[in-house]
Amino acid sequence: MNYNNSNSSSIPKDIILLAVRVFVGFAMLSHGYPKLQMLLAGGKIEFFDFLGMGPLVTLILTVIAEFVCSILLILGLFTRVSLGFLIFTMVIAGFVVHGADPFEKREMSLIYLSVYLLLMIIGAGKVSVDHLIERRKRASDW
């Protein structure tokens, strides 16, 4: 394989970015789906009250981040916007909700946070809806 060619050298990177997006997206869905079920159940909501917004609003925002944005991350659609919501949510989880807890309780949110920050810097890669949209947009500009 010729690694001097920029197209061929980006293929492994784009496959790895896809794998990371899909894995971390589905992993976060496992946290977001139970919260979505809690929201849809209609009972009394006992959830963290962030900045006095109330448990219901906080839960809705968390479901948007952990469920909706995870699906968008998997697709690579609105990736950086979705990552913004996910990063904010993990900062709150790691440093506010579990801020006084031992490291073991905060560890998972901090691992998610680090992966989200890396994806924010690197981007979704070429195997993403964002890339298809950008490519189509560039083609129509010609």
Side-chain angles (χ1 to χ4, degrees):
M1 181 180 276
N2 180 4
Y3 285 99
N4 293 329
N5 182 342
S6 63
N7 288 337
S8 66
S9 67
S10 70
I11 291 171
K13 179 185 93 172
D14 292 317
I15 291 171
I16 290 170
L17 284 171
L18 172 65
V20 169
R21 279 192 358 255
V22 169
F23 176 78
V24 79
F26 276 111
M28 182 52 70
L29 276 175
S30 73
H31 298 278
Y33 185 69
K35 292 176 179 97
L36 175 63
Q37 289 179 311
M38 181 190 321
L39 182 64
L40 297 176
K44 184 177 189 307
I45 295 180
E46 294 185 24
F47 198 72
F48 181 73
D49 182 3
F50 182 65
L51 295 177
M53 293 189 292
L56 176 62
V57 173
T58 305
L59 179 59
I60 290 169
L61 293 173
T62 304
V63 167
I64 290 169
E66 292 184 2
F67 189 78
V68 176
C69 290
S70 290
I71 292 170
L72 294 174
L73 179 63
I74 291 166
L75 297 172
L77 177 62
F78 309 120
T79 305
R80 287 199 163 105
V81 173
S82 298
L83 286 166
F85 283 97
L86 288 161
I87 287 168
F88 183 78
T89 303
M90 292 303 104
V91 166
I92 299 306
F95 296 108
V96 179
V97 175
H98 298 292
D101 293 341
F103 180 73
E104 306 85 59
K105 286 280 204 177
R106 301 179 315 147
E107 180 179 11
M108 189 61 69
S109 59
L110 298 177
I111 290 171
Y112 279 114
L113 174 61
S114 63
V115 173
Y116 293 150
L117 288 170
L118 283 171
L119 287 171
M120 180 69 91
I121 292 167
I122 297 170
K126 291 181 180 175
V127 187
S128 67
V129 177
D130 286 342
H131 180 73
L132 293 173
I133 292 169
E134 183 62 31
R135 194 171 70 188
R136 183 169 280 185
K137 187 189 288 184
R138 275 186 268 144
S140 68
D141 288 344
W142 285 95

